[in-house]
Coordinates of all heavy atoms in Angstrom, one line a residue:
K37 N -23.6 111.2 -94.3 CA -23.4 110.9 -92.9 C -24.7 110.4 -92.3 O -24.7 109.5 -91.5 CB -23.0 112.3 -92.2 CG -23.0 112.2 -90.7 CD -21.7 112.1 -90.1 CE -21.7 112.3 -88.6 NZ -21.7 111.0 -88.0
W38 N -25.9 111.0 -92.7 CA -27.2 110.5 -92.2 C -27.4 109.1 -92.5 O -27.8 108.3 -91.7 CB -28.3 111.4 -92.7 CG -29.6 110.9 -92.2 CD1 -30.3 111.3 -91.1 CD2 -30.5 109.9 -92.8 NE1 -31.4 110.6 -90.9 CE2 -31.6 109.7 -91.9 CE3 -30.4 109.1 -93.9 CZ2 -32.6 108.8 -92.2 CZ3 -31.4 108.2 -94.1 CH2 -32.5 108.1 -93.3
F39 N -27.1 108.7 -93.8 CA -27.3 107.3 -94.2 C -26.4 106.4 -93.4 O -26.9 105.3 -92.9 CB -27.0 107.1 -95.7 CG -28.1 107.6 -96.6 CD1 -27.8 108.5 -97.5 CD2 -29.3 107.1 -96.5 CE1 -28.8 109.0 -98.4 CE2 -30.4 107.5 -97.4 CZ -30.1 108.5 -98.3
Q40 N -25.2 106.7 -93.1 CA -24.3 105.9 -92.3 C -24.8 105.7 -90.9 O -24.8 104.6 -90.4 CB -22.9 106.5 -92.3 CG -22.0 106.0 -93.4 CD -20.6 106.4 -93.2 OE1 -20.3 107.5 -92.8 NE2 -19.7 105.6 -93.6
D41 N -25.2 106.8 -90.3 CA -25.7 106.8 -88.9 C -26.9 105.9 -88.8 O -27.0 105.0 -88.0 CB -26.0 108.2 -88.4 CG -24.7 109.0 -88.1 OD1 -23.6 108.4 -88.1 OD2 -24.9 110.2 -88.0
A42 N -27.9 106.1 -89.7 CA -29.1 105.3 -89.7 C -28.8 103.9 -90.1 O -29.4 103.0 -89.5 CB -30.1 105.9 -90.7
A43 N -27.9 103.6 -91.0 CA -27.6 102.2 -91.4 C -27.0 101.5 -90.2 O -27.3 100.3 -90.0 CB -26.7 102.3 -92.6
K44 N -26.1 102.1 -89.5 CA -25.4 101.5 -88.4 C -26.4 101.2 -87.3 O -26.2 100.3 -86.5 CB -24.3 102.4 -87.9 CG -23.1 102.4 -88.8 CD -22.0 103.3 -88.3 CE -20.8 103.4 -89.3 NZ -19.8 104.3 -88.9
Q45 N -27.5 101.9 -87.2 CA -28.6 101.7 -86.2 C -29.5 100.6 -86.7 O -30.5 100.3 -86.0 CB -29.3 103.0 -85.9 CG -28.4 104.0 -85.2 CD -29.1 105.3 -85.0 OE1 -30.4 105.4 -85.0 NE2 -28.3 106.4 -84.7
G46 N -29.3 100.1 -87.9 CA -30.2 99.0 -88.3 C -31.3 99.4 -89.2 O -32.2 98.5 -89.5
Y47 N -31.4 100.6 -89.7 CA -32.5 101.0 -90.6 C -32.3 100.5 -92.0 O -31.3 100.9 -92.7 CB -32.6 102.6 -90.5 CG -33.7 103.2 -91.3 CD1 -35.0 102.8 -91.1 CD2 -33.5 104.2 -92.2 CE1 -36.1 103.3 -91.8 CE2 -34.5 104.8 -92.8 CZ -35.8 104.4 -92.7 OH -36.8 105.0 -93.3
A48 N -33.1 99.5 -92.4 CA -32.9 98.8 -93.6 C -32.9 99.7 -94.9 O -32.1 99.5 -95.8 CB -34.0 97.7 -93.8
E49 N -33.8 100.7 -94.9 CA -33.8 101.6 -96.1 C -32.5 102.3 -96.2 O -31.9 102.5 -97.3 CB -35.0 102.5 -96.1 CG -35.1 103.3 -97.3 CD -36.4 104.2 -97.4 OE1 -37.2 104.1 -96.4 OE2 -36.5 104.9 -98.4
A50 N -31.9 102.8 -95.1 CA -30.6 103.5 -95.1 C -29.5 102.5 -95.5 O -28.6 102.9 -96.2 CB -30.4 104.1 -93.8
Q51 N -29.6 101.3 -95.0 CA -28.6 100.3 -95.4 C -28.6 100.1 -96.9 O -27.5 100.0 -97.6 CB -28.8 99.0 -94.7 CG -28.5 99.1 -93.2 CD -29.0 97.9 -92.4 OE1 -29.9 97.2 -92.8 NE2 -28.5 97.7 -91.2
H52 N -29.8 100.0 -97.5 CA -29.9 99.8 -98.9 C -29.3 101.0 -99.7 O -28.6 100.9 -100.6 CB -31.4 99.6 -99.3 CG -31.6 99.5 -100.8 ND1 -32.1 100.6 -101.5 CD2 -31.3 98.6 -101.7 CE1 -32.2 100.3 -102.8 NE2 -31.7 99.1 -102.9
C53 N -29.7 102.2 -99.2 CA -29.2 103.4 -99.9 C -27.7 103.5 -99.8 O -27.0 103.9 -100.8 CB -29.8 104.7 -99.3 SG -31.6 104.9 -99.7
L54 N -27.1 103.2 -98.6 CA -25.7 103.2 -98.5 C -25.0 102.2 -99.4 O -24.0 102.5 -100.0 CB -25.3 102.9 -97.0 CG -23.9 103.3 -96.6 CD1 -23.5 104.7 -96.9 CD2 -23.8 103.0 -95.1
G55 N -25.6 101.0 -99.5 CA -25.1 100.0 -100.5 C -25.1 100.5 -101.9 O -24.1 100.3 -102.6
M56 N -26.2 101.2 -102.3 CA -26.2 101.8 -103.6 C -25.1 102.9 -103.8 O -24.5 103.0 -104.9 CB -27.6 102.5 -103.9 CG -28.7 101.5 -104.1 SD -28.5 100.3 -105.4 CE -28.6 101.4 -106.8
M57 N -24.9 103.7 -102.8 CA -23.8 104.7 -102.8 C -22.4 104.1 -103.0 O -21.7 104.5 -103.8 CB -23.9 105.6 -101.6 CG -25.1 106.4 -101.6 SD -25.3 107.4 -100.1 CE -24.2 108.8 -100.5
Y58 N -22.2 103.0 -102.3 CA -20.9 102.3 -102.4 C -20.8 101.6 -103.8 O -19.7 101.7 -104.4 CB -20.7 101.3 -101.3 CG -20.1 101.8 -100.0 CD1 -20.9 101.8 -98.9 CD2 -18.8 102.3 -100.0 CE1 -20.4 102.3 -97.7 CE2 -18.3 102.8 -98.8 CZ -19.1 102.8 -97.6 OH -18.6 103.3 -96.5
K59 N -21.9 101.0 -104.2 CA -21.8 100.4 -105.5 C -21.6 101.3 -106.7 O -20.9 101.0 -107.6 CB -23.2 99.6 -105.8 CG -23.2 98.8 -107.0 CD -24.5 98.0 -107.1 CE -24.5 97.0 -108.3 NZ -24.2 97.6 -109.6
N60 N -22.2 102.5 -106.6 CA -22.1 103.5 -107.7 C -20.9 104.5 -107.5 O -20.7 105.4 -108.3 CB -23.4 104.2 -107.8 CG -24.5 103.3 -108.3 OD1 -24.3 102.3 -109.0 ND2 -25.7 103.5 -107.7
G61 N -20.2 104.4 -106.4 CA -19.1 105.3 -106.1 C -19.6 106.8 -105.8 O -18.9 107.7 -106.1
E62 N -20.8 106.9 -105.3 CA -21.3 108.2 -104.9 C -20.7 108.7 -103.6 O -20.8 108.0 -102.6 CB -22.8 108.2 -104.8 CG -23.5 107.8 -106.1 CD -25.0 107.6 -105.9 OE1 -25.6 108.2 -105.0 OE2 -25.6 106.8 -106.6
G63 N -20.1 109.8 -103.6 CA -19.5 110.4 -102.4 C -18.1 109.8 -102.1 O -17.6 110.0 -101.0
G64 N -17.5 109.0 -103.0 CA -16.2 108.4 -102.8 C -16.0 107.4 -103.8 O -16.7 107.3 -104.8
E65 N -15.0 106.6 -103.6 CA -14.6 105.5 -104.5 C -15.7 104.4 -104.5 O -16.3 104.1 -103.4 CB -13.3 104.9 -104.1 CG -12.1 105.8 -104.2 CD -11.7 106.0 -105.7 OE1 -11.7 105.1 -106.5 OE2 -11.5 107.2 -106.0
E66 N -15.9 103.7 -105.6 CA -16.7 102.6 -105.7 C -16.1 101.5 -104.8 O -14.9 101.2 -104.8 CB -16.8 102.1 -107.1 CG -17.7 100.9 -107.4 CD -17.7 100.5 -108.8 OE1 -18.1 101.3 -109.7 OE2 -17.3 99.4 -109.1
D67 N -17.0 100.8 -104.0 CA -16.5 99.7 -103.2 C -17.6 98.6 -103.1 O -18.5 98.7 -102.3 CB -16.2 100.2 -101.8 CG -15.6 99.2 -100.8 OD1 -15.7 98.0 -101.1 OD2 -15.0 99.6 -99.8
T68 N -17.5 97.7 -104.1 CA -18.5 96.7 -104.2 C -18.6 95.7 -103.0 O -19.6 95.2 -102.7 CB -18.4 95.8 -105.5 OG1 -17.0 95.3 -105.6 CG2 -18.6 96.7 -106.7
A69 N -17.5 95.5 -102.3 CA -17.5 94.7 -101.1 C -18.3 95.3 -100.0 O -19.1 94.7 -99.3 CB -16.1 94.4 -100.6
Q70 N -18.2 96.6 -99.8 CA -19.0 97.3 -98.9 C -20.4 97.4 -99.3 O -21.3 97.3 -98.5 CB -18.4 98.8 -98.6 CG -17.3 98.9 -97.7 CD -17.7 98.5 -96.3 OE1 -18.7 99.0 -95.7 NE2 -17.0 97.6 -95.7
A71 N -20.7 97.6 -100.6 CA -22.0 97.6 -101.1 C -22.7 96.3 -100.8 O -23.8 96.2 -100.3 CB -22.0 97.8 -102.6
R72 N -22.0 95.2 -101.0 CA -22.6 93.8 -100.8 C -22.9 93.7 -99.3 O -23.9 93.1 -98.9 CB -21.6 92.8 -101.2 CG -22.1 91.4 -101.3 CD -21.0 90.5 -101.9 NE -21.6 89.3 -102.4 CZ -20.9 88.4 -103.1 NH1 -19.6 88.6 -103.5 NH2 -21.4 87.3 -103.5
K73 N -22.0 94.2 -98.4 CA -22.2 94.0 -97.0 C -23.5 94.8 -96.6 O -24.3 94.3 -95.8 CB -21.0 94.6 -96.2 CG -21.1 94.6 -94.7 CD -21.2 96.0 -94.2 CE -21.2 96.1 -92.7 NZ -22.5 96.1 -92.1
W74 N -23.7 96.0 -97.1 CA -24.8 96.8 -96.7 C -26.1 96.2 -97.3 O -27.2 96.2 -96.6 CB -24.7 98.3 -97.0 CG -23.7 98.9 -96.1 CD1 -22.4 99.4 -96.4 CD2 -23.8 99.2 -94.7 NE1 -21.8 99.9 -95.3 CE2 -22.7 99.8 -94.2 CE3 -24.9 98.9 -93.8 CZ2 -22.5 100.2 -92.9 CZ3 -24.7 99.3 -92.5 CH2 -23.5 99.9 -92.0
F75 N -26.0 95.8 -98.5 CA -27.2 95.1 -99.1 C -27.6 93.9 -98.3 O -28.8 93.6 -98.0 CB -26.9 94.7 -100.5 CG -26.9 95.8 -101.5 CD1 -26.0 95.7 -102.6 CD2 -27.7 96.9 -101.4 CE1 -26.0 96.8 -103.6 CE2 -27.7 97.9 -102.4 CZ -26.8 97.9 -103.4
Q76 N -26.6 93.1 -97.8 CA -26.9 91.9 -97.1 C -27.5 92.3 -95.7 O -28.5 91.6 -95.3 CB -25.6 91.1 -96.8 CG -25.9 89.8 -96.2 CD -24.8 88.7 -96.6 OE1 -23.7 89.1 -97.0 NE2 -25.2 87.5 -96.4
D77 N -27.1 93.3 -95.1 CA -27.7 93.7 -93.8 C -29.1 94.1 -94.0 O -30.0 93.7 -93.2 CB -26.9 94.9 -93.2 CG -25.6 94.5 -92.6 OD1 -25.2 93.3 -92.6 OD2 -24.8 95.5 -92.3
A78 N -29.4 94.8 -95.0 CA -30.8 95.2 -95.3 C -31.7 94.0 -95.8 O -32.8 93.8 -95.4 CB -30.9 96.3 -96.4
A79 N -31.1 93.2 -96.6 CA -31.8 92.0 -97.1 C -32.2 91.0 -96.0 O -33.3 90.5 -96.1 CB -30.9 91.3 -98.2
K80 N -31.3 90.9 -95.0 CA -31.6 90.0 -93.9 C -32.8 90.5 -93.1 O -33.5 89.7 -92.4 CB -30.4 89.8 -93.0 CG -29.3 89.0 -93.6 CD -28.2 88.9 -92.6 CE -27.1 88.0 -93.1 NZ -25.9 88.0 -92.2
Q81 N -33.1 91.8 -93.2 CA -34.3 92.3 -92.6 C -35.6 92.2 -93.4 O -36.6 92.7 -93.0 CB -34.0 93.8 -92.2 CG -32.9 94.0 -91.2 CD -32.8 95.4 -90.8 OE1 -33.8 96.0 -90.1 NE2 -31.7 96.0 -91.1
G82 N -35.4 91.6 -94.6 CA -36.6 91.5 -95.5 C -36.8 92.6 -96.4 O -37.9 92.7 -97.1
Y83 N -35.8 93.5 -96.6 CA -36.0 94.7 -97.5 C -35.8 94.2 -99.0 O -34.7 93.8 -99.4 CB -35.0 95.7 -97.2 CG -35.3 97.1 -97.7 CD1 -36.2 97.9 -97.2 CD2 -34.6 97.6 -98.8 CE1 -36.5 99.1 -97.7 CE2 -34.9 98.8 -99.4 CZ -35.8 99.6 -98.8 OH -36.1 100.8 -99.3
A84 N -36.9 94.1 -99.7 CA -36.9 93.4 -101.0 C -36.0 94.1 -102.0 O -35.4 93.3 -102.8 CB -38.4 93.4 -101.6
E85 N -35.9 95.4 -102.1 CA -35.0 96.0 -103.0 C -33.5 95.6 -102.8 O -32.8 95.3 -103.7 CB -35.1 97.5 -103.0 CG -36.4 98.0 -103.5 CD -36.5 99.5 -103.4 OE1 -35.6 100.3 -103.9 OE2 -37.4 100.0 -102.8
A86 N -33.2 95.5 -101.5 CA -31.8 95.1 -101.1 C -31.6 93.6 -101.5 O -30.5 93.2 -101.9 CB -31.5 95.3 -99.7
Q87 N -32.6 92.8 -101.3 CA -32.6 91.4 -101.6 C -32.3 91.2 -103.1 O -31.5 90.4 -103.5 CB -33.8 90.6 -101.2 CG -34.0 90.5 -99.7 CD -35.4 90.1 -99.3 OE1 -36.4 90.2 -100.1 NE2 -35.5 89.5 -98.1
H88 N -33.0 92.0 -103.9 CA -32.7 91.9 -105.4 C -31.3 92.4 -105.7 O -30.6 91.7 -106.5 CB -33.8 92.8 -106.1 CG -33.5 92.9 -107.6 ND1 -32.9 93.9 -108.2 CD2 -33.8 92.0 -108.6 CE1 -32.8 93.7 -109.5 NE2 -33.3 92.5 -109.7
C89 N -30.9 93.5 -105.1 CA -29.5 94.0 -105.4 C -28.5 93.0 -105.0 O -27.5 92.7 -105.7 CB -29.3 95.3 -104.7 SG -30.2 96.7 -105.4
L90 N -28.7 92.4 -103.8 CA -27.7 91.3 -103.4 C -27.7 90.1 -104.3 O -26.7 89.6 -104.6 CB -28.1 90.9 -101.9 CG -27.2 90.0 -101.2 CD1 -25.8 90.5 -101.1 CD2 -27.7 89.6 -99.8
G91 N -28.9 89.7 -104.8 CA -29.0 88.6 -105.7 C -28.2 89.0 -107.0 O -27.4 88.1 -107.5
M92 N -28.3 90.2 -107.5 CA -27.5 90.6 -108.7 C -26.0 90.6 -108.4 O -25.3 90.2 -109.3 CB -28.0 92.0 -109.1 CG -29.4 92.1 -109.7 SD -29.6 91.0 -111.1 CE -28.5 91.8 -112.3
M93 N -25.6 91.0 -107.2 CA -24.2 91.0 -106.9 C -23.6 89.6 -106.9 O -22.6 89.3 -107.4 CB -23.9 91.8 -105.6 CG -24.3 93.3 -105.7 SD -23.6 94.3 -104.4 CE -21.9 94.5 -105.1
Y94 N -24.4 88.7 -106.3 CA -24.0 87.3 -106.3 C -24.0 86.7 -107.7 O -23.0 86.0 -108.1 CB -24.9 86.4 -105.4 CG -24.5 86.4 -103.9 CD1 -25.3 87.0 -103.0 CD2 -23.3 85.8 -103.5 CE1 -25.0 87.0 -101.6 CE2 -23.0 85.8 -102.1 CZ -23.8 86.4 -101.2 OH -23.5 86.4 -99.9
K95 N -25.0 87.0 -108.5 CA -25.1 86.5 -109.8 C -23.9 87.0 -110.7 O -23.3 86.2 -111.5 CB -26.4 87.0 -110.5 CG -26.6 86.6 -111.9 CD -27.9 87.1 -112.4 CE -28.1 86.7 -113.9 NZ -27.4 87.6 -114.8
N96 N -23.5 88.2 -110.5 CA -22.4 88.8 -111.3 C -21.0 88.8 -110.7 O -20.1 89.2 -111.2 CB -22.8 90.3 -111.6 CG -24.0 90.4 -112.5 OD1 -24.3 89.5 -113.3 ND2 -24.8 91.4 -112.2
G97 N -20.9 88.2 -109.4 CA -19.6 88.2 -108.8 C -19.1 89.5 -108.3 O -17.9 89.7 -108.3
E98 N -20.0 90.5 -108.0 CA -19.6 91.8 -107.6 C -19.4 91.8 -106.1 O -20.2 91.4 -105.3 CB -20.6 92.8 -108.0 CG -20.8 93.0 -109.4 CD -22.0 94.0 -109.7 OE1 -23.1 93.6 -109.6 OE2 -21.7 95.1 -110.1
G99 N -18.2 92.3 -105.6 CA -18.0 92.4 -104.2 C -17.6 91.1 -103.6 O -17.5 91.0 -102.3
G100 N -17.4 90.1 -104.3 CA -17.1 88.7 -103.8 C -17.3 87.7 -104.9 O -17.4 88.0 -106.1
E101 N -17.2 86.4 -104.5 CA -17.3 85.3 -105.4 C -18.7 85.3 -106.1 O -19.7 85.6 -105.4 CB -17.1 84.0 -104.7 CG -15.8 83.9 -104.0 CD -14.8 83.1 -104.9 OE1 -15.2 82.3 -105.7 OE2 -13.6 83.4 -104.7
E102 N -18.8 84.8 -107.3 CA -20.0 84.6 -108.0 C -20.7 83.3 -107.3 O -20.0 82.3 -107.0 CB -19.7 84.3 -109.5 CG -20.9 84.3 -110.4 CD -20.5 84.1 -111.8 OE1 -19.9 85.1 -112.3 OE2 -20.7 83.0 -112.4
D103 N -21.9 83.4 -107.1 CA -22.6 82.3 -106.4 C -24.1 82.3 -106.8 O -24.9 83.0 -106.3 CB -22.5 82.4 -104.9 CG -23.1 81.2 -104.1 OD1 -24.0 80.5 -104.6 OD2 -22.6 81.0 -103.0
H104 N -24.4 81.4 -107.8 CA -25.7 81.4 -108.4 C -26.7 80.8 -107.4 O -27.9 81.2 -107.5 CB -25.7 80.6 -109.7 CG -25.0 81.4 -110.8 ND1 -25.6 82.1 -111.7 CD2 -23.6 81.5 -111.0 CE1 -24.7 82.7 -112.5 NE2 -23.5 82.3 -112.1
A105 N -26.4 79.9 -106.5 CA -27.3 79.4 -105.6 C -27.7 80.5 -104.6 O -28.9 80.7 -104.3 CB -26.7 78.3 -104.8
Q106 N -26.8 81.4 -104.2 CA -27.1 82.5 -103.3 C -28.0 83.5 -104.1 O -28.9 84.1 -103.5 CB -25.9 83.2 -102.7 CG -25.3 82.4 -101.6 CD -26.2 82.5 -100.4 OE1 -26.7 83.6 -100.0 NE2 -26.4 81.4 -99.7
A107 N -27.6 83.7 -105.3 CA -28.4 84.7 -106.2 C -29.8 84.2 -106.2 O -30.7 85.0 -106.0 CB -27.8 84.8 -107.6
R108 N -30.0 83.0 -106.5 CA -31.4 82.4 -106.6 C -32.2 82.6 -105.3 O -33.3 83.0 -105.3 CB -31.4 81.0 -107.0 CG -32.7 80.3 -107.2 CD -32.7 78.9 -107.7 NE -32.0 78.8 -108.9 CZ -30.8 78.1 -109.0 NH1 -30.2 77.6 -108.0 NH2 -30.2 78.0 -110.2
K109 N -31.5 82.3 -104.2 CA -32.1 82.4 -102.9 C -32.6 83.9 -102.7 O -33.8 84.1 -102.2 CB -31.1 82.0 -101.8 CG -31.7 82.2 -100.4 CD -30.8 83.1 -99.5 CE -31.2 83.2 -98.1 NZ -32.4 83.9 -97.8
W110 N -31.7 84.9 -102.9 CA -32.1 86.2 -102.7 C -33.2 86.7 -103.7 O -34.1 87.5 -103.3 CB -30.9 87.1 -102.7 CG -30.1 86.9 -101.4 CD1 -28.8 86.3 -101.4 CD2 -30.5 87.2 -100.1 NE1 -28.4 86.3 -100.0 CE2 -29.4 86.8 -99.2 CE3 -31.6 87.7 -99.5 CZ2 -29.5 86.9 -97.9 CZ3 -31.7 87.8 -98.1 CH2 -30.6 87.4 -97.3
F111 N -33.1 86.3 -104.9 CA -34.2 86.6 -105.9 C -35.5 86.1 -105.4 O -36.6 86.7 -105.5 CB -33.9 86.1 -107.3 CG -32.7 86.8 -108.0 CD1 -31.9 86.1 -108.8 CD2 -32.5 88.2 -107.8 CE1 -30.8 86.8 -109.4 CE2 -31.5 88.8 -108.4 CZ -30.6 88.1 -109.3
Q112 N -35.5 84.8 -104.9 CA -36.8 84.2 -104.4 C -37.3 85.0 -103.2 O -38.5 85.2 -103.1 CB -36.6 82.7 -104.1 CG -36.4 81.9 -105.3 CD -36.0 80.4 -105.0 OE1 -35.4 80.2 -104.0 NE2 -36.4 79.5 -105.9
D113 N -36.4 85.4 -102.3 CA -36.9 86.1 -101.2 C -37.5 87.5 -101.6 O -38.4 88.0 -101.0 CB -35.7 86.4 -100.2 CG -35.3 85.1 -99.4 OD1 -36.0 84.1 -99.5 OD2 -34.3 85.2 -98.7
A114 N -36.9 88.1 -102.6 CA -37.4 89.4 -103.1 C -38.7 89.3 -103.8 O -39.5 90.3 -103.8 CB -36.3 90.0 -104.0
A115 N -39.0 88.2 -104.4 CA -40.2 88.0 -105.2 C -41.5 88.0 -104.4 O -41.6 87.7 -103.2 CB -40.1 86.7 -106.0

């Protein structure tokens, strides 16, 4: 609950943690689309760990279409 509240308020670290929870199915069913959404919210704020996770999701087609150009962009941002 704390992660959700903080994530909804725009706290990038909480958004990243919530993304990890959705990706790994912690506290409920795995939901890669939701994971990707939360990673993207945190990544747009410059949170490097989320940028890396988002790049991996695009690279592997998790939570949506595979997109190597987007993967490269997020990996570069994270570097």
Side-chain angles (χ1 to χ4, degrees):
K37 171 107 171 95
W38 179 89
F39 283 122
Q40 268 188 326
D41 291 344
K44 287 178 183 175
Q45 292 176 21
Y47 184 51
E49 186 174 355
Q51 291 169 336
H52 174 258
C53 289
L54 195 55
M56 291 300 295
M57 292 176 80
Y58 276 113
K59 185 175 186 307
N60 297 323
E62 296 173 31
E65 292 290 316
E66 181 181 300
D67 187 338
T68 55
Q70 277 296 308
R72 193 175 195 170
K73 178 246 184 273
W74 287 111
F75 287 145
Q76 188 152 18
D77 287 352
K80 286 180 180 177
Q81 295 185 65
Y83 197 77
E85 289 178 58
Q87 291 168 336
H88 176 261
C89 290
L90 185 58
M92 291 300 294
M93 293 195 84
Y94 275 114
K95 179 180 180 280
N96 297 323
E98 296 175 285
E101 299 264 333
E102 193 173 292
D103 186 333
H104 289 262
Q106 280 294 311
R108 183 178 301 112
K109 178 238 184 290
W110 288 112
F111 289 145
Q112 287 174 333
D113 286 355

